[in-house]
Amino acid sequence: MSTTESTRPAPAETASVGAVVGLLVLFELTSGFLQGGIAPLLPDIGTELGIADADLNWVIAAQLLAAAVSVPAFGRLGDVYGHRRMLRVSLVCVAVGSLLVAFAPSLPVLLAGRVLLGPLAALLPLEIALVRDRLSVERARGAIARLVGALTLGTLLGGVVMGLAHRTTGDVRITLLLPAVLALLCVPVSFLAIPESGRTPGARLDWPGVGLLSLAVLLLLAGISAAKTGPLLSGAVLVPVPLALVAGAVWAVRELRVPEPLVDLRALADRSVAPYFLCAAAFGVIYFGSLAPDSTFLAADPQRTGYGFGLSALAISLIALPAGVAAVVGSSLTALVARRIGYRPALIASFALIAVSFLSTAAFHTAIWQLVAAKVLAGAGIGVALGALPTVIAEAGAPSRTGITTALYNNVKTLGGAVAGAVIAVILATPASETGSAVPDTQEAANESGYVTVWLLCALLSAGAAVAAAAARRGAAERPE
């Protein structure tokens, strides 16, 4: 397979990339702000536009579906045509989508805006490919850690700042304009000083591969979305999921036969790469799957359910603040820690720390300080994992395919979170009132044992991810400098 050595930039250009890492950090702060700021506003968006609660699920699902399609396509297009070019295209899509969301007069326009926000998930893979192409290994590792830290910080700030802004203004549209303005500012900034990455001579995009992979992902997520809101044995679940498996199998067979595949499956099956994709899938379940249960547990009325603290959305955001800060610190220190012990040991330690946190939460969750202490541990581990995983995956793959490799990492992580949503919805389906553990009420609440099961599942997956990382073949990315 061809590489990009013949088209790599001169050292002077490399220095210029180091000077604009701060611009890429701005993009990730904005990305996190957009991703973390929508959830607290969903009820008010529904009230403003007259959208039923069930239909609000599609506000999140629309972006997830668009991300599943755009991430691998944008990643490979960046490998072929340049990562800076595709970064600019992504930012334009995000800016237009943000404005549509802020001014949407109806649900269809709102969903169109959310679809245009799908390329948010492609920003980080494109940036990782850019800095890896233009910087030395050590400087690229530090840059990746800062980018991941910025994304984590932006997500944290998005929830808190948007909640405070809406409480101050009382207007959901004015509040939604805040991230839209940030997204608009990022577009001209991307034209300031960011140099282009090297391109692969003669490379082409496998469009049929893009189509088949997109179809498989769309069918799978359609089935998962149906499972969240309806019975598991309904046609809305049983039809798309098997079709997704068939489309995925056809895609895999094609990828193994074409000379320029979208994803080099043989390379990904190597022991130096495959275990890290298993880690990414487990991490998606842990990271995305635990967010909603943690929030609903804190918001539950203890007089009715026998557990919880009856907290408001703003209070929940503030309680999550220490864990978010720990995640930002952890991701920022990833390169420093890995320089001393290596990336693989750092990854193993991070997942072990997350496992201890969830075990602690399962055992002790009757006081807020217990939950905060456990989540701070989890936040530190998540921060290190967020910084280490894309680095080891990017360095384990071929330089000419960094964009698609890191994009695939993001897709695997997103799919893990999407699957987690359906599984956790089933786990929490048993109402507390059925067990006699709470005062009966017209609104059903999950049984406390369901939350304990979710936390134990996350602990088990974290331990499994630590084992998978330990089983990976030792490579350059895992060795300390």
Coordinates of all heavy atoms in Angstrom, one line a residue, residues 253-306:
V253 N -16.9 -8.6 3.0 CA -16.4 -9.4 1.9 C -15.8 -8.5 0.8 O -14.7 -8.8 0.2 CB -17.5 -10.3 1.3 CG1 -17.1 -10.9 0.0 CG2 -17.9 -11.3 2.3
R254 N -16.5 -7.4 0.5 CA -16.0 -6.5 -0.6 C -14.7 -5.8 -0.1 O -13.8 -5.7 -1.0 CB -17.1 -5.4 -0.8 CG -16.5 -4.3 -1.8 CD -17.5 -3.2 -1.9 NE -16.8 -2.0 -2.6 CZ -16.5 -2.0 -3.9 NH1 -16.8 -3.0 -4.7 NH2 -15.8 -1.0 -4.4
E255 N -14.6 -5.4 1.1 CA -13.4 -4.7 1.6 C -12.2 -5.7 1.5 O -11.0 -5.2 1.3 CB -13.6 -4.3 3.0 CG -14.6 -3.2 3.2 CD -14.3 -1.9 2.4 OE1 -13.3 -1.2 2.8 OE2 -14.9 -1.7 1.4
L256 N -12.4 -7.0 1.6 CA -11.3 -7.9 1.6 C -10.8 -8.2 0.1 O -9.7 -8.7 -0.1 CB -11.7 -9.2 2.2 CG -11.9 -9.2 3.8 CD1 -12.5 -10.5 4.2 CD2 -10.5 -8.9 4.5
R257 N -11.6 -7.8 -0.8 CA -11.3 -8.1 -2.2 C -10.8 -6.9 -3.1 O -10.1 -7.1 -4.0 CB -12.6 -8.7 -2.9 CG -13.0 -10.1 -2.4 CD -14.2 -10.6 -3.1 NE -14.5 -11.9 -2.6 CZ -15.6 -12.6 -3.0 NH1 -16.4 -12.1 -3.9 NH2 -15.8 -13.9 -2.5
V258 N -11.2 -5.7 -2.7 CA -10.9 -4.5 -3.5 C -9.4 -4.1 -3.2 O -9.0 -4.2 -2.1 CB -11.9 -3.4 -3.3 CG1 -13.3 -3.7 -3.8 CG2 -11.9 -2.9 -1.9
P259 N -8.7 -3.5 -4.2 CA -7.3 -3.1 -4.0 C -7.2 -1.9 -3.1 O -6.2 -1.7 -2.4 CB -6.8 -2.8 -5.4 CG -8.0 -2.6 -6.2 CD -9.1 -3.4 -5.6
E260 N -8.2 -1.0 -3.1 CA -8.1 0.2 -2.3 C -9.4 0.3 -1.4 O -10.3 1.0 -1.7 CB -8.1 1.5 -3.2 CG -6.7 1.7 -3.8 CD -5.7 2.3 -2.8 OE1 -6.1 2.8 -1.8 OE2 -4.5 2.2 -3.1
P261 N -9.4 -0.5 -0.3 CA -10.6 -0.6 0.5 C -10.8 0.6 1.3 O -9.8 1.4 1.6 CB -10.4 -1.8 1.4 CG -8.9 -1.9 1.5 CD -8.4 -1.4 0.2
L262 N -12.0 0.9 1.7 CA -12.3 2.0 2.7 C -11.6 1.7 4.0 O -11.0 2.6 4.6 CB -13.8 2.1 2.9 CG -14.3 3.2 3.9 CD1 -13.9 4.6 3.4 CD2 -15.7 3.1 4.1
V263 N -11.7 0.5 4.5 CA -11.1 0.0 5.7 C -10.3 -1.2 5.4 O -10.8 -2.2 4.9 CB -12.1 -0.3 6.8 CG1 -11.5 -0.8 8.1 CG2 -13.0 1.0 7.1
D264 N -9.0 -1.2 5.8 CA -8.1 -2.4 5.6 C -8.4 -3.4 6.7 O -7.8 -3.3 7.8 CB -6.7 -1.9 5.6 CG -5.7 -3.1 5.1 OD1 -6.2 -4.2 5.1 OD2 -4.6 -2.8 4.8
L265 N -9.3 -4.3 6.5 CA -9.8 -5.2 7.5 C -8.6 -6.1 8.0 O -8.5 -6.5 9.1 CB -11.0 -6.0 7.1 CG -12.3 -5.2 6.8 CD1 -13.4 -6.1 6.4 CD2 -12.7 -4.5 8.1
R266 N -7.8 -6.5 7.0 CA -6.7 -7.4 7.4 C -5.7 -6.7 8.3 O -5.2 -7.3 9.3 CB -5.9 -7.9 6.1 CG -6.7 -8.8 5.2 CD -5.9 -9.4 4.1 NE -6.6 -10.3 3.3 CZ -7.4 -10.0 2.2 NH1 -7.5 -8.7 1.9 NH2 -8.0 -11.0 1.6
A267 N -5.5 -5.4 8.1 CA -4.6 -4.7 9.0 C -5.2 -4.5 10.3 O -4.5 -4.6 11.4 CB -4.2 -3.3 8.4
L268 N -6.5 -4.3 10.4 CA -7.2 -4.1 11.6 C -7.3 -5.4 12.5 O -7.5 -5.3 13.7 CB -8.6 -3.6 11.4 CG -8.7 -2.2 10.8 CD1 -10.2 -1.8 10.7 CD2 -8.0 -1.1 11.6
A269 N -7.2 -6.5 11.8 CA -7.2 -7.8 12.5 C -5.9 -8.1 13.2 O -5.8 -9.0 14.0 CB -7.6 -8.9 11.5
D270 N -4.9 -7.3 12.9 CA -3.6 -7.5 13.5 C -3.7 -7.3 15.0 O -4.4 -6.5 15.5 CB -2.5 -6.6 12.9 CG -1.1 -6.9 13.4 OD1 -0.5 -7.7 12.7 OD2 -0.7 -6.3 14.4
R271 N -2.9 -8.1 15.8 CA -3.0 -8.0 17.2 C -2.5 -6.7 17.8 O -2.7 -6.4 18.9 CB -2.2 -9.2 17.8 CG -2.7 -9.6 19.2 CD -1.8 -10.7 19.8 NE -1.2 -10.3 21.0 CZ -0.2 -10.9 21.6 NH1 0.3 -12.0 21.1 NH2 0.3 -10.5 22.8
S272 N -1.8 -5.9 17.0 CA -1.3 -4.6 17.5 C -2.4 -3.6 17.4 O -2.3 -2.5 17.9 CB -0.1 -4.2 16.7 OG -0.4 -4.0 15.3
V273 N -3.5 -3.9 16.7 CA -4.6 -2.9 16.4 C -5.9 -3.4 17.0 O -6.6 -2.6 17.7 CB -4.8 -2.6 14.9 CG1 -5.9 -1.5 14.7 CG2 -3.5 -2.1 14.4
A274 N -6.3 -4.6 16.7 CA -7.7 -5.1 17.0 C -8.0 -5.0 18.5 O -9.2 -4.6 18.8 CB -7.8 -6.6 16.6
P275 N -7.2 -5.3 19.4 CA -7.6 -5.1 20.9 C -8.0 -3.7 21.2 O -8.8 -3.5 22.1 CB -6.3 -5.6 21.6 CG -5.6 -6.5 20.7 CD -5.8 -5.9 19.4
Y276 N -7.4 -2.7 20.6 CA -7.7 -1.4 20.9 C -9.1 -1.0 20.3 O -9.7 -0.1 20.9 CB -6.6 -0.4 20.3 CG -5.3 -0.6 21.0 CD1 -4.2 -0.9 20.2 CD2 -5.2 -0.5 22.4 CE1 -2.9 -1.1 20.8 CE2 -3.9 -0.7 23.0 CZ -2.8 -1.0 22.2 OH -1.6 -1.2 22.8
F277 N -9.5 -1.6 19.3 CA -10.9 -1.4 18.8 C -11.9 -2.0 19.7 O -13.0 -1.5 19.9 CB -11.0 -1.8 17.4 CG -10.5 -0.9 16.3 CD1 -9.3 -1.0 15.7 CD2 -11.3 0.2 16.0 CE1 -8.8 -0.1 14.8 CE2 -10.8 1.2 15.1 CZ -9.6 1.0 14.5
L278 N -11.5 -3.1 20.3 CA -12.4 -3.7 21.4 C -12.5 -2.8 22.6 O -13.5 -2.6 23.1 CB -11.8 -5.1 21.8 CG -11.8 -6.2 20.8 CD1 -11.2 -7.5 21.3 CD2 -13.3 -6.5 20.3
C279 N -11.3 -2.2 22.9 CA -11.3 -1.2 24.0 C -12.2 0.0 23.6 O -13.0 0.5 24.5 CB -9.9 -0.6 24.2 SG -8.8 -1.8 25.0
A280 N -12.2 0.4 22.4 CA -13.0 1.6 21.9 C -14.5 1.2 22.0 O -15.3 2.1 22.5 CB -12.7 1.9 20.5
A281 N -14.9 0.0 21.7 CA -16.3 -0.4 21.8 C -16.8 -0.4 23.2 O -17.8 0.1 23.6 CB -16.5 -1.8 21.1
A282 N -15.9 -1.0 24.1 CA -16.2 -1.0 25.5 C -16.3 0.4 26.1 O -17.2 0.7 26.9 CB -15.2 -1.8 26.3
F283 N -15.4 1.2 25.6 CA -15.4 2.6 26.1 C -16.6 3.4 25.7 O -17.2 4.2 26.5 CB -14.1 3.4 25.6 CG -14.0 4.7 26.1 CD1 -13.4 5.0 27.4 CD2 -14.4 5.8 25.4 CE1 -13.3 6.2 27.9 CE2 -14.3 7.1 25.9 CZ -13.7 7.3 27.1
G284 N -17.1 3.1 24.5 CA -18.4 3.8 24.1 C -19.5 3.4 25.0 O -20.3 4.3 25.3
V285 N -19.6 2.1 25.4 CA -20.7 1.7 26.3 C -20.5 2.4 27.6 O -21.5 2.9 28.2 CB -20.6 0.2 26.5 CG1 -21.7 -0.3 27.5 CG2 -20.9 -0.6 25.1
I286 N -19.3 2.4 28.1 CA -19.1 3.0 29.4 C -19.3 4.5 29.4 O -20.0 5.1 30.3 CB -17.6 2.8 29.9 CG1 -17.4 1.3 30.0 CG2 -17.3 3.5 31.2 CD1 -15.9 0.9 30.0
Y287 N -18.8 5.2 28.4 CA -18.8 6.7 28.4 C -20.2 7.2 28.1 O -20.7 8.1 28.8 CB -17.8 7.2 27.3 CG -17.7 8.7 27.3 CD1 -17.1 9.4 28.3 CD2 -18.1 9.4 26.1 CE1 -17.0 10.7 28.3 CE2 -17.9 10.8 26.1 CZ -17.3 11.4 27.2 OH -17.2 12.8 27.1
F288 N -20.8 6.7 27.0 CA -22.1 7.2 26.6 C -23.3 6.5 27.4 O -24.3 7.1 27.7 CB -22.4 6.9 25.1 CG -21.4 7.7 24.3 CD1 -20.4 7.1 23.5 CD2 -21.5 9.1 24.2 CE1 -19.6 7.8 22.7 CE2 -20.7 9.8 23.4 CZ -19.7 9.2 22.6
G289 N -23.1 5.2 27.7 CA -24.2 4.4 28.3 C -24.4 4.8 29.8 O -25.6 4.6 30.3
S290 N -23.5 5.4 30.5 CA -23.7 5.7 31.9 C -24.2 7.1 32.1 O -24.6 7.4 33.2 CB -22.3 5.5 32.7 OG -21.4 6.4 32.2
L291 N -24.2 7.9 31.1 CA -24.6 9.3 31.3 C -26.0 9.5 31.7 O -26.4 10.1 32.7 CB -24.3 10.1 30.0 CG -22.9 10.3 29.6 CD1 -22.8 11.1 28.3 CD2 -22.1 11.0 30.7
A292 N -26.9 8.9 30.9 CA -28.4 9.0 31.2 C -28.7 8.3 32.5 O -29.5 8.9 33.4 CB -29.2 8.4 30.1
P293 N -28.3 7.1 32.8 CA -28.6 6.4 34.1 C -28.1 7.3 35.3 O -28.9 7.4 36.3 CB -27.9 5.1 34.0 CG -27.8 4.8 32.6 CD -27.6 6.1 31.9
D294 N -26.9 7.8 35.2 CA -26.4 8.6 36.3 C -27.3 9.8 36.6 O -27.7 10.2 37.7 CB -25.0 9.1 36.0 CG -24.0 8.0 36.2 OD1 -24.4 6.9 36.6 OD2 -22.8 8.2 35.7
S295 N -27.8 10.5 35.5 CA -28.6 11.7 35.6 C -30.0 11.3 36.2 O -30.5 12.0 37.1 CB -28.8 12.3 34.3 OG -27.6 12.8 33.8
T296 N -30.6 10.2 35.7 CA -32.0 9.9 36.2 C -31.9 9.4 37.6 O -32.9 9.6 38.4 CB -32.6 8.8 35.3 OG1 -31.7 7.7 35.1 CG2 -32.9 9.4 33.9
F297 N -30.8 8.7 38.0 CA -30.7 8.3 39.4 C -30.6 9.5 40.3 O -31.3 9.5 41.4 CB -29.4 7.4 39.6 CG -29.2 6.9 40.9 CD1 -29.8 5.7 41.3 CD2 -28.5 7.6 41.9 CE1 -29.7 5.2 42.6 CE2 -28.4 7.1 43.2 CZ -28.9 5.8 43.5
L298 N -29.8 10.5 40.0 CA -29.7 11.7 40.8 C -31.0 12.5 40.8 O -31.4 13.1 41.8 CB -28.6 12.6 40.2 CG -27.2 12.1 40.5 CD1 -26.2 12.9 39.6 CD2 -26.8 12.1 41.9
A299 N -31.8 12.4 39.7 CA -33.0 13.2 39.6 C -34.2 12.5 40.3 O -35.3 13.1 40.5 CB -33.4 13.5 38.2
A300 N -34.1 11.2 40.6 CA -35.2 10.4 41.1 C -35.6 10.9 42.5 O -34.8 11.3 43.3 CB -34.8 8.9 41.2
D301 N -37.0 10.9 42.7 CA -37.5 11.4 44.0 C -37.5 10.2 45.0 O -38.1 9.2 44.8 CB -39.0 11.8 43.7 CG -39.7 12.3 45.0 OD1 -39.0 12.4 46.1 OD2 -40.9 12.6 45.0
P302 N -36.7 10.4 46.0 CA -36.5 9.3 47.0 C -37.8 8.9 47.7 O -38.0 7.8 48.2 CB -35.4 9.8 48.0 CG -35.5 11.3 47.8 CD -35.9 11.6 46.4
Q303 N -38.7 9.9 47.8 CA -40.0 9.6 48.5 C -40.8 8.6 47.7 O -41.6 7.8 48.2 CB -40.8 10.9 48.7 CG -40.1 11.8 49.6 CD -39.9 11.3 51.0 OE1 -40.7 10.6 51.6 NE2 -38.7 11.5 51.6
R304 N -40.7 8.6 46.4 CA -41.5 7.8 45.5 C -40.7 6.5 45.1 O -41.4 5.4 45.0 CB -41.8 8.6 44.2 CG -42.7 7.8 43.2 CD -43.2 8.7 42.1 NE -42.1 9.1 41.2 CZ -41.7 8.4 40.2 NH1 -42.3 7.2 39.9 NH2 -40.8 8.9 39.4
T305 N -39.4 6.6 44.9 CA -38.7 5.4 44.4 C -37.9 4.7 45.4 O -37.5 3.5 45.2 CB -37.7 5.9 43.3 OG1 -36.7 6.8 43.8 CG2 -38.4 6.6 42.1
G306 N -37.6 5.4 46.5 CA -36.7 4.7 47.5 C -35.2 4.9 47.3 O -34.4 4.4 48.0

